[in-house]
Amino acid sequence: KIKKTASANYEKIAKAIGIMKSKNIKVSLININTSDYSFKPDAKNNRILYGLKALSGINEDIINLIKEHRPYTGIKDFMERVQLPKIPMINLIKAGAYDEIDEGFNHDRIKIMTYYLYRVSEPKTKLTLQNFNGLMTNNLVPDDLNFEKTVYNFNKYLKANKKSDYYMLDDKALSFFSNYYSDYLDSVEIVGGIGYISQKIWDKLYKTTMDKVRDWLKDNQKEVLNNYNFLLFKELWDKYAFGNISKWEMDSLCFY
């Protein structure tokens, strides 16, 4: 049987926190090294430690994993020894779980979140033609490569219509090929009213066309790489870290 655990009742949690704060009892944020399943007194610091089980996106398996590998020196140390899904990790950061221990980032939650999201955005170390689609999607390809962008998409279209060692040219594809590669029309074979071009011939034409893209990437590698990695990071930031610290705490803890 699968063991079911009750989900946190955030209405009751919010009410309890409100009562404690009205009596001038300090309720802390999560502490990755000392917080337990439920709320508990922290006599040393004269406060109540927020319970991990009440944190959004955290279950008992994750709590056990966290406790098993304690203590941690910061976010980097934690990530080396504990692999958690993205949402629990983000909620731990939002809840301030690393604030008190992470001297490497000067106990700055925004810096901690920046480090984590940059890591999981999987920044590239080098850009090649394989990244061209991502560069186009993020509007990082200049207008003077518009033809190459069209040919890149045309090549994808052909690969989706590959028959053995030939690419099939339907009416749409044949029209494009006739307009831009008219010098090679004698390489097209018509069978049953459908055009075909050998994979070897088209791949060579495609490679020659895309050499201009390779040269552009080579000449602008550093700038384009930095811009692309920033956009990969920004996409995650906008999705998971939108808002200020107070919003982060409300998202994860239901109080700030």
Side-chain angles (χ1 to χ4, degrees), residues 150-177:
T150 304
V151 173
Y152 179 85
N153 288 324
F154 178 69
N155 183 64
K156 289 200 298 183
Y157 184 80
L158 289 185
K159 287 187 174 181
N161 294 280
K162 185 172 180 289
K163 304 291 184 182
S164 186
D165 294 329
Y166 287 82
Y167 295 117
M168 185 175 70
L169 299 172
D170 58 17
D171 290 344
K172 181 180 178 181
L174 187 57
S175 175
F176 178 88
F177 191 87

Side-chain angles (χ1 to χ4, degrees), residues 174-219:
L174 187 57
S175 175
F176 178 88
F177 191 87
S178 299
N179 285 334
Y180 296 105
Y181 294 95
S182 56
D183 291 343
Y184 299 90
L185 273 175
D186 57 352
S187 300
V188 177
E189 301 177 30
I190 306 298
V191 180
I194 299 175
Y196 292 88
I197 186 169
S198 77
Q199 178 182 342
K200 185 176 181 180
I201 291 174
W202 168 250
D203 286 352
K204 185 176 180 179
L205 288 174
Y206 176 70
K207 181 181 181 302
T208 301
T209 301
M210 300 307 286
D211 279 344
K212 186 176 179 181
V213 176
R214 294 184 182 91
D215 291 341
W216 169 72
L217 284 172
K218 182 179 178 181
D219 295 339

Side-chain angles (χ1 to χ4, degrees), residues 222-236:
K222 185 176 180 180
E223 179 186 356
V224 179
L225 182 64
N226 288 338
N227 290 337
Y228 187 49
N229 284 337
F230 173 74
L231 289 174
L232 292 176
F233 161 78
K234 188 176 183 299
E235 182 180 1
L236 289 184

Side-chain angles (χ1 to χ4, degrees), residues 18-31:
I19 292 171
M20 286 187 281
K21 291 176 77 68
S22 70
K23 295 181 178 181
N24 294 319
I25 298 171
K26 183 179 179 182
V27 180
S28 81
L29 301 173
I30 295 288
N31 183 301

